[in-house]
Amino acid sequence: MKSGARALGVAESYRAETSQFAGAVVRASRVADGFVFSTATVGGSDATETVCAMVDRLDREDIRYLLVAGLAPAWFNVLDLQRIHDHTDLPVLSVTFGSSPGLEGAIREAFDDRAVVQDRLATYRAQPERRPVSVNDETVYVRSVGIDDSAAADVVRAFTPEGGRPEPLRVARLAARGLVEME
């Protein structure tokens, strides 16, 4: 991958009712060259719209990939990767950092309102399956839309110079945590 290729990484951090979302535009050469920030409701259903609005506000044609940290930020505010891809026209990769049995049980336990549970489960079940990807002697789990599995793995590896966290997500996570600490 060319060193100037850019990815937008989106991560979040929360402490109370509002989750701080941070987006970091990072080149494959590890240079950060843009940021965007927003909020979503903890336990809400606005994370998909938040990510789409962040991409819109950046208004950058040089971003080639969109990486999001996880699938259910802000306490099960489940992202719809296909809707994000349809809105942004970018390949969308959800990257998680640990194996798990999935979120269905946790979603059922987290909410008392049956309609909320059913809505989140429907969104969650509509997402592509997670696939393990080996990166620098570590394993991450990737779901992707708008890019084939092999190319998605290549993108994750290209943007992960060390460890197992792609640089756009690492930088975005640091920025989101910094926002929460300022509250």
Side-chain angles (χ1 to χ4, degrees):
M1 177 165 311
K2 292 183 180 179
S3 64
R6 290 166 175 81
L8 171 62
V10 176
E12 61 89 32
S13 186
Y14 71 89
R15 194 175 280 158
E17 291 144 12
T18 302
S19 179
Q20 299 292 333
F21 276 56
V25 179
V26 177
R27 296 181 201 167
S29 64
R30 296 185 254 177
V31 174
D33 74 357
F35 290 91
V36 63
F37 302 96
S38 194
T39 59
T41 307
V42 172
S45 59
D46 56 349
T48 297
E49 290 76 17
T50 295
V51 172
C52 290
M54 291 170 74
V55 174
D56 290 347
R57 277 203 331 277
L58 275 173
D59 191 28
R60 291 186 55 168
E61 294 182 12
D62 59 346
I63 296 170
R64 291 186 46 203
Y65 310 100
L66 173 57
L67 284 71
V68 294
L71 187 64
W75 197 61
F76 305 114
N77 196 331
V78 182
L79 294 170
D80 185 330
L81 303 180
Q82 185 65 54
R83 280 184 45 211
I84 295 169
H85 170 68
D86 291 345
H87 182 84
T88 65
D89 200 33
L90 292 170
V92 180
L93 294 78
S94 168
V95 182
T96 55
F97 307 99
S99 63
S100 78
L103 297 177
E104 289 200 28
I107 290 170
R108 283 192 185 93
E109 290 178 21
F111 300 97
D112 294 329
D113 185 327
R114 183 170 165 75
V116 169
V117 169
Q118 293 306 316
D119 181 57
R120 310 253 168 155
L121 288 176
T123 302
Y124 175 69
R125 290 174 181 152
Q127 303 315 302
E129 290 295 317
R130 293 184 339 147
R131 293 169 317 285
V133 174
S134 296
V135 181
N136 300 325
D137 297 325
E138 296 190 31
T139 301
V140 297
Y141 300 86
V142 178
R143 299 173 196 262
S144 59
V145 175
I147 187 170
D148 69 46
D149 294 349
S150 177
D154 290 344
V155 168
V156 170
R157 289 184 189 109
F159 282 93
T160 311
E162 58 186 43
R165 190 172 299 265
E167 194 70 359
L169 295 179
R170 187 187 74 76
V171 174
R173 183 175 83 166
L174 289 172
R177 285 182 174 175
L179 289 171
V180 168
E181 289 174 10
M182 290 176 52
E183 292 178 345

